[in-house]
Amino acid sequence: MLEGLVIDHVGIAVKSIEKALQLWNVGLGAKTGHRELVESQKVTVAFLETGEGKTELLEPTEADSPIAKFIEKKGEGIHHIAYRTPHLEDTMARLKKNGARLIYDTPQPGSHGTQINFVHPGSAGGVLIELVEYPTREELS
Ligand code: ZN
C-alpha cells in the first residue's frame, strides 16, 4: 500500500547557480551537496542539503530548456515541488486513471540515477509536481 507522500525537494529556477549560491551558501548558510547535468531536462542542478526535503537549484543549459522557458515567462522562482514515490509507473497509472495530466508518457532519467515524471500544473492546482523514484540497491550495483 501507499506509505504516504514525502517531499524530496523543492526546485527553484535560477539564471546562474553560481550567483544564486551567494545567497544560499554565503547568506543563508546552506551546504551544497550534489551537482549534476541532467541532459533529459537540459539543466544543471545543484542540491542544497536542507534536511530531508532538499532544495534544488536549476540552471538551464540550452535556450530551449524547460527551465529557460520558465524563466523567460515568469522570471526566476519556485518551479516545482518533488515528491518521492516507491514505484513511479504505478503512481503514473493511478494518476492517469484519475484523469490527471502527466508531462511525459514514460519515466525520464533524473539526477542521482532517479526516474522522474511531472504532473501538469493544470491537473494540480497550478503546481508543477515532480515524482521521483530512486533506484533500488540492486539497480545501483
Ligand atoms: Zn526537481
PDB file of all heavy atoms in Angstrom, residues 100-115:
ATOM      1  N   ALA A 100      -5.590  12.771 -14.257  1.00  0.00           N
ATOM      2  CA  ALA A 100      -4.523  13.776 -14.182  1.00  0.00           C
ATOM      3  C   ALA A 100      -3.682  13.744 -15.453  1.00  0.00           C
ATOM      4  O   ALA A 100      -3.489  12.696 -16.052  1.00  0.00           O
ATOM      5  CB  ALA A 100      -3.636  13.518 -12.960  1.00  0.00           C
ATOM      6  N   ARG A 101      -3.187  14.910 -15.844  1.00  0.00           N
ATOM      7  CA  ARG A 101      -2.298  15.005 -16.997  1.00  0.00           C
ATOM      8  C   ARG A 101      -0.853  14.894 -16.548  1.00  0.00           C
ATOM      9  O   ARG A 101      -0.428  15.602 -15.633  1.00  0.00           O
ATOM     10  CB  ARG A 101      -2.468  16.379 -17.671  1.00  0.00           C
ATOM     11  CG  ARG A 101      -3.373  16.370 -18.877  1.00  0.00           C
ATOM     12  CD  ARG A 101      -3.583  17.787 -19.349  1.00  0.00           C
ATOM     13  NE  ARG A 101      -2.455  18.282 -20.124  1.00  0.00           N
ATOM     14  CZ  ARG A 101      -2.279  19.580 -20.431  1.00  0.00           C
ATOM     15  NH1 ARG A 101      -3.140  20.462 -20.007  1.00  0.00           N
ATOM     16  NH2 ARG A 101      -1.254  19.952 -21.151  1.00  0.00           N
ATOM     17  N   LEU A 102      -0.094  14.048 -17.218  1.00  0.00           N
ATOM     18  CA  LEU A 102       1.332  13.927 -16.919  1.00  0.00           C
ATOM     19  C   LEU A 102       2.122  14.592 -18.045  1.00  0.00           C
ATOM     20  O   LEU A 102       1.658  14.667 -19.183  1.00  0.00           O
ATOM     21  CB  LEU A 102       1.728  12.454 -16.797  1.00  0.00           C
ATOM     22  CG  LEU A 102       0.962  11.668 -15.724  1.00  0.00           C
ATOM     23  CD1 LEU A 102       1.320  10.196 -15.788  1.00  0.00           C
ATOM     24  CD2 LEU A 102       1.248  12.221 -14.342  1.00  0.00           C
ATOM     25  N   ILE A 103       3.309  15.082 -17.733  1.00  0.00           N
ATOM     26  CA  ILE A 103       4.118  15.748 -18.758  1.00  0.00           C
ATOM     27  C   ILE A 103       4.688  14.717 -19.742  1.00  0.00           C
ATOM     28  O   ILE A 103       4.710  14.940 -20.939  1.00  0.00           O
ATOM     29  CB  ILE A 103       5.266  16.564 -18.111  1.00  0.00           C
ATOM     30  CG1 ILE A 103       4.714  17.635 -17.166  1.00  0.00           C
ATOM     31  CG2 ILE A 103       6.166  17.180 -19.193  1.00  0.00           C
ATOM     32  CD1 ILE A 103       4.040  18.828 -17.802  1.00  0.00           C
ATOM     33  N   TYR A 104       5.156  13.564 -19.230  1.00  0.00           N
ATOM     34  CA  TYR A 104       5.744  12.535 -20.088  1.00  0.00           C
ATOM     35  C   TYR A 104       4.920  11.249 -20.014  1.00  0.00           C
ATOM     36  O   TYR A 104       4.359  10.923 -18.968  1.00  0.00           O
ATOM     37  CB  TYR A 104       7.184  12.225 -19.655  1.00  0.00           C
ATOM     38  CG  TYR A 104       8.108  13.418 -19.706  1.00  0.00           C
ATOM     39  CD1 TYR A 104       8.546  14.024 -18.536  1.00  0.00           C
ATOM     40  CD2 TYR A 104       8.545  13.941 -20.928  1.00  0.00           C
ATOM     41  CE1 TYR A 104       9.399  15.128 -18.574  1.00  0.00           C
ATOM     42  CE2 TYR A 104       9.389  15.035 -20.980  1.00  0.00           C
ATOM     43  CZ  TYR A 104       9.808  15.622 -19.798  1.00  0.00           C
ATOM     44  OH  TYR A 104      10.649  16.713 -19.839  1.00  0.00           O
ATOM     45  N   ASP A 105       4.891  10.518 -21.137  1.00  0.00           N
ATOM     46  CA  ASP A 105       4.184   9.234 -21.166  1.00  0.00           C
ATOM     47  C   ASP A 105       4.980   8.138 -20.465  1.00  0.00           C
ATOM     48  O   ASP A 105       4.409   7.153 -19.997  1.00  0.00           O
ATOM     49  CB  ASP A 105       3.924   8.801 -22.617  1.00  0.00           C
ATOM     50  CG  ASP A 105       2.865   9.671 -23.270  1.00  0.00           C
ATOM     51  OD1 ASP A 105       1.987  10.188 -22.545  1.00  0.00           O
ATOM     52  OD2 ASP A 105       2.927   9.841 -24.503  1.00  0.00           O
ATOM     53  N   THR A 106       6.303   8.301 -20.454  1.00  0.00           N
ATOM     54  CA  THR A 106       7.156   7.300 -19.816  1.00  0.00           C
ATOM     55  C   THR A 106       8.102   8.011 -18.847  1.00  0.00           C
ATOM     56  O   THR A 106       8.410   9.192 -19.034  1.00  0.00           O
ATOM     57  CB  THR A 106       8.011   6.544 -20.866  1.00  0.00           C
ATOM     58  OG1 THR A 106       8.725   7.516 -21.641  1.00  0.00           O
ATOM     59  CG2 THR A 106       7.139   5.714 -21.800  1.00  0.00           C
ATOM     60  N   PRO A 107       8.598   7.292 -17.821  1.00  0.00           N
ATOM     61  CA  PRO A 107       9.549   7.892 -16.878  1.00  0.00           C
ATOM     62  C   PRO A 107      10.807   8.390 -17.594  1.00  0.00           C
ATOM     63  O   PRO A 107      11.244   7.785 -18.571  1.00  0.00           O
ATOM     64  CB  PRO A 107       9.892   6.735 -15.937  1.00  0.00           C
ATOM     65  CG  PRO A 107       8.722   5.817 -16.011  1.00  0.00           C
ATOM     66  CD  PRO A 107       8.233   5.918 -17.431  1.00  0.00           C
ATOM     67  N   GLN A 108      11.347   9.509 -17.128  1.00  0.00           N
ATOM     68  CA  GLN A 108      12.552  10.107 -17.701  1.00  0.00           C
ATOM     69  C   GLN A 108      13.702  10.001 -16.706  1.00  0.00           C
ATOM     70  O   GLN A 108      13.466   9.982 -15.495  1.00  0.00           O
ATOM     71  CB  GLN A 108      12.288  11.595 -17.995  1.00  0.00           C
ATOM     72  CG  GLN A 108      11.140  11.852 -18.942  1.00  0.00           C
ATOM     73  CD  GLN A 108      11.448  11.369 -20.344  1.00  0.00           C
ATOM     74  OE1 GLN A 108      12.455  11.727 -20.934  1.00  0.00           O
ATOM     75  NE2 GLN A 108      10.576  10.511 -20.881  1.00  0.00           N
ATOM     76  N   PRO A 109      14.960   9.980 -17.215  1.00  0.00           N
ATOM     77  CA  PRO A 109      16.097   9.952 -16.287  1.00  0.00           C
ATOM     78  C   PRO A 109      16.282  11.288 -15.580  1.00  0.00           C
ATOM     79  O   PRO A 109      16.347  12.328 -16.234  1.00  0.00           O
ATOM     80  CB  PRO A 109      17.290   9.634 -17.199  1.00  0.00           C
ATOM     81  CG  PRO A 109      16.856  10.004 -18.579  1.00  0.00           C
ATOM     82  CD  PRO A 109      15.363   9.887 -18.629  1.00  0.00           C
ATOM     83  N   GLY A 110      16.326  11.257 -14.246  1.00  0.00           N
ATOM     84  CA  GLY A 110      16.567  12.467 -13.445  1.00  0.00           C
ATOM     85  C   GLY A 110      17.964  12.432 -12.851  1.00  0.00           C
ATOM     86  O   GLY A 110      18.797  11.631 -13.257  1.00  0.00           O
ATOM     87  N   SER A 111      18.226  13.303 -11.866  1.00  0.00           N
ATOM     88  CA  SER A 111      19.538  13.293 -11.216  1.00  0.00           C
ATOM     89  C   SER A 111      19.618  12.124 -10.239  1.00  0.00           C
ATOM     90  O   SER A 111      18.614  11.470  -9.948  1.00  0.00           O
ATOM     91  CB  SER A 111      19.760  14.617 -10.477  1.00  0.00           C
ATOM     92  OG  SER A 111      18.791  14.763  -9.469  1.00  0.00           O
ATOM     93  N   HIS A 112      20.805  11.833  -9.722  1.00  0.00           N
ATOM     94  CA  HIS A 112      21.019  10.747  -8.752  1.00  0.00           C
ATOM     95  C   HIS A 112      20.555   9.386  -9.279  1.00  0.00           C
ATOM     96  O   HIS A 112      20.165   8.517  -8.498  1.00  0.00           O
ATOM     97  CB  HIS A 112      20.269  10.985  -7.429  1.00  0.00           C
ATOM     98  CG  HIS A 112      20.595  12.264  -6.738  1.00  0.00           C
ATOM     99  ND1 HIS A 112      19.900  13.436  -6.985  1.00  0.00           N
ATOM    100  CD2 HIS A 112      21.515  12.569  -5.810  1.00  0.00           C
ATOM    101  CE1 HIS A 112      20.394  14.404  -6.226  1.00  0.00           C
ATOM    102  NE2 HIS A 112      21.375  13.908  -5.507  1.00  0.00           N
ATOM    103  N   GLY A 113      20.504   9.195 -10.609  1.00  0.00           N
ATOM    104  CA  GLY A 113      20.050   7.904 -11.139  1.00  0.00           C
ATOM    105  C   GLY A 113      18.566   7.640 -10.933  1.00  0.00           C
ATOM    106  O   GLY A 113      18.119   6.502 -11.008  1.00  0.00           O
ATOM    107  N   THR A 114      17.798   8.696 -10.680  1.00  0.00           N
ATOM    108  CA  THR A 114      16.364   8.522 -10.427  1.00  0.00           C
ATOM    109  C   THR A 114      15.583   8.447 -11.738  1.00  0.00           C
ATOM    110  O   THR A 114      16.105   8.769 -12.813  1.00  0.00           O
ATOM    111  CB  THR A 114      15.806   9.717  -9.620  1.00  0.00           C
ATOM    112  OG1 THR A 114      16.090  10.932 -10.333  1.00  0.00           O
ATOM    113  CG2 THR A 114      16.408   9.769  -8.228  1.00  0.00           C
ATOM    114  N   GLN A 115      14.349   8.016 -11.628  1.00  0.00           N
ATOM    115  CA  GLN A 115      13.372   8.099 -12.708  1.00  0.00           C
ATOM    116  C   GLN A 115      12.362   9.155 -12.273  1.00  0.00           C
ATOM    117  O   GLN A 115      11.919   9.147 -11.118  1.00  0.00           O
ATOM    118  CB  GLN A 115      12.661   6.753 -12.888  1.00  0.00           C
ATOM    119  CG  GLN A 115      13.576   5.632 -13.358  1.00  0.00           C
ATOM    120  CD  GLN A 115      13.968   5.812 -14.819  1.00  0.00           C
ATOM    121  OE1 GLN A 115      13.130   5.969 -15.685  1.00  0.00           O
ATOM    122  NE2 GLN A 115      15.266   5.821 -15.058  1.00  0.00           N
TER     123      GLN A 115
END
